[in-house]
Amino acid sequence: MTIPKQCGEKGCTRNFYAKGYCRKHYQKARSAGVISTPTTCSIEGCGQNVTARGWCNKHYCRWKATGDPVASGRYIDPAEAMRSRVKREGDCLIWTGSQSGQGWRTGDGYGVIFTGGKAVKVHRYAWEKERGPIPAGMEIDHRCHRRTCVNIDHLRLVTRSENMQHLRPERKNSTTGLRGVTRHKLTGKFAAAVRHQGETHHLGLFVTAEEAGEAARAKRLELFTHNDLDRALEQQAPA
């Protein structure tokens, strides 16, 4: 199926939008009743609701990826997709797929690939391909903190608790920017706390956020086993 690149209205050079028209002439044709707006995908036998250009989301994404809304996808299997869509960045092997063809990225930054008729996160696929099935209740942690990395040497099998230990000391979703540090409303000082195995350890109030952050980091070093970045900072600290 060939999609026109230019409006079919005589004398118009605008880009194609839908039904053979640019956006302007498409709207005029709709207003004049020359064309009607479909509610289901125009691909024969589909029946899904229209997303754009007369197609459902699946056929629209295929058209964006390949120029053909009925193309089956760029890659014939997950292994081919991994070979074509992974590139090296330093020590990391980064999944570059977008929402088209064989695989994409989620809104929170994880790569996803189709295998066995279902969508699977790429780093989990990479792990199982090399190391076997992931036991129930276990997760795969990125030691490099790059969610699209599929380098097996950067991944490890962890519990949910261990995975949550391995967070950055700097936190974008914290009002102070530091993990485990909040501003005490009554005193204006900074409170430090660490949560571990369902218990919150309150470490007191500090004059500066940095002091509170260091207290929280020291407590994490005492309680946690998988807080790699905290341990790296400890090794870098001057004697």
Side-chain angles (χ1 to χ4, degrees):
M1 181 176 181
T2 303
I3 306 300
K5 294 183 178 180
Q6 188 172 301
C7 179
E9 186 74 11
K10 186 176 180 180
C12 182
T13 59
R14 295 183 180 89
N15 291 336
F16 167 81
Y17 172 69
K19 296 290 185 179
Y21 298 103
C22 65
R23 185 184 292 270
K24 175 183 175 181
H25 288 112
Y26 174 75
Q27 296 295 344
K28 284 187 175 182
R30 281 188 60 191
S31 299
V34 175
I35 59 175
S36 59
T37 304
T39 57
T40 57
C41 182
S42 61
I43 301 300
E44 184 178 356
C46 179
Q48 297 297 313
N49 291 335
V50 166
T51 295
R53 299 198 173 192
W55 301 312
C56 65
N57 187 64
K58 178 180 73 174
H59 289 112
Y60 175 68
C61 286
R62 286 180 177 178
W63 170 76
K64 286 187 68 177
T66 67
D68 185 349
V70 295
S72 59
R74 291 184 180 180
Y75 306 111
I76 60 174
D77 57 38
E80 183 184 356
M82 290 289 283
R83 288 192 296 270
S84 300
R85 291 196 163 189
V86 171
K87 68 176 182 179
R88 180 171 291 278
E89 291 184 5
D91 292 332
C92 292
L93 297 174
I94 300 298
W95 170 256
T96 63
S98 59
Q99 189 152 353
S100 57
Q102 176 65 272
W104 64 89
R105 293 190 191 187
T106 63
D108 55 359
Y110 287 102
V112 177
I113 198 169
F114 281 109
T115 177
K118 62 180 180 179
V120 177
K121 289 182 176 178
V122 178
H123 64 287
R124 292 178 65 90
Y125 169 81
W127 177 275
E128 292 193 328
K129 188 172 182 296
E130 295 294 326
R131 303 285 172 85
I134 299 171
M138 300 297 286
E139 301 180 359
I140 301 300
D141 179 28
H142 285 88
R143 303 191 73 159
C144 60
H145 276 277
R146 301 188 71 176
R147 293 180 174 182
T148 51
C149 182
V150 295
N151 186 343
I152 295 298
D153 293 335
H154 291 189
L155 305 177
R156 61 181 171 186
L157 195 64
V158 294
T159 64
R160 179 61 177 169
S161 175
E162 290 168 343
N163 204 351
M164 294 306 296
Q165 291 177 21
H166 190 220
L167 300 177
R168 294 184 180 278
E170 305 82 15
R171 303 291 292 162
K172 292 182 179 180
N173 60 352
S174 168
T175 56
T176 64
L178 295 174
R179 184 182 181 188
V181 178
T182 57
R183 192 71 178 260
H184 193 264
K185 293 181 179 179
L186 295 179
T187 65
K189 293 184 178 181
F190 295 88
V194 173
R195 187 168 180 79
H196 181 57
Q197 295 182 348
E199 180 182 357
T200 300
H201 299 261
H202 296 282
L203 309 174
L205 300 177
F206 301 82
V207 175
T208 68
E210 290 72 22
E211 290 175 326
E214 183 56 31
R217 188 177 72 87
K219 191 64 176 180
R220 291 194 298 269
L221 288 171
E222 175 189 331
L223 299 175
F224 292 175
T225 57
H226 285 66
N227 52 329
D228 293 12
L229 292 180
D230 288 328
R231 298 182 183 282
L233 289 173
E234 182 184 36
Q235 293 173 1
Q236 295 169 11

